[in-house]
């Protein structure tokens, strides 16, 4: 998957979330559904020749969930009980 495809999907999802009233902390299942729908829609269009087909749509959804729910790479460390400090 190229960065451009991922970034386009992320921007589209964030745009859809903006007017939806969904809270990333409280509505994670609804956000996941929205992201799955966004990726499914992209895959449908890609199969019709409007883009590159994603090799791992499920992995793309997971990456998008982490990105839009503020659960990026550092979140895993911050959620651990055995980690007291993270230096960046």
């Amino acid at each position: 998957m190229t960065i451009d495809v991922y970034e386009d999907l992320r921007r589209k999802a964030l745009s859809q979330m903006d007017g939806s009233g969904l809270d990333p902390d409280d509505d994670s299942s609804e956000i996941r559904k929205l992201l799955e729908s966004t990726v499914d829609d992209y895959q449908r269009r890609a199969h019709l020749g409007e883009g590159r087909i994603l090799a791992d749509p499920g992995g793309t959804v997971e990456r998008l969930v982490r990105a839009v729910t503020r659960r990026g790479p550092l979140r895993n460390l911050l959620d651990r009980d055995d980690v007291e400090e993270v230096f960046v």
Side-chain angles (χ1 to χ4, degrees):
M1 170 177 58
T2 65
I3 299 294
D4 294 334
V5 171
Y6 170 77
E7 283 302 317
D8 287 345
L9 289 169
R10 189 179 69 77
R11 278 190 220 109
K12 182 177 181 179
L14 289 172
S15 174
Q16 290 173 325
M17 285 174 55
D18 271 349
S20 70
L22 292 173
D23 181 344
D25 293 325
D26 296 329
D27 302 317
S28 60
S29 64
E30 291 301 316
I31 289 172
R32 178 175 290 281
K33 288 178 190 175
L34 182 137
L35 295 171
E36 288 170 346
S37 174
T38 301
V39 170
D40 287 346
D41 181 56
Y42 173 82
Q43 282 290 82
R44 256 189 310 283
R45 288 184 287 112
H47 280 287
L48 295 172
E50 297 179 29
R52 291 183 55 183
I53 296 170
L54 298 174
D56 183 11
T60 301
V61 170
E62 292 305 317
R63 186 174 172 200
L64 288 167
V65 166
R66 285 191 308 271
V68 303
T69 60
R70 293 175 256 156
R71 298 221 176 260
L74 291 179
R75 177 50 59 190
N76 294 338
L77 288 172
L78 297 173
D79 286 343
R80 289 177 44 180
D81 292 333
D82 61 327
V83 174
E84 294 181 16
E85 297 178 280
V86 177
F87 293 95
V88 179

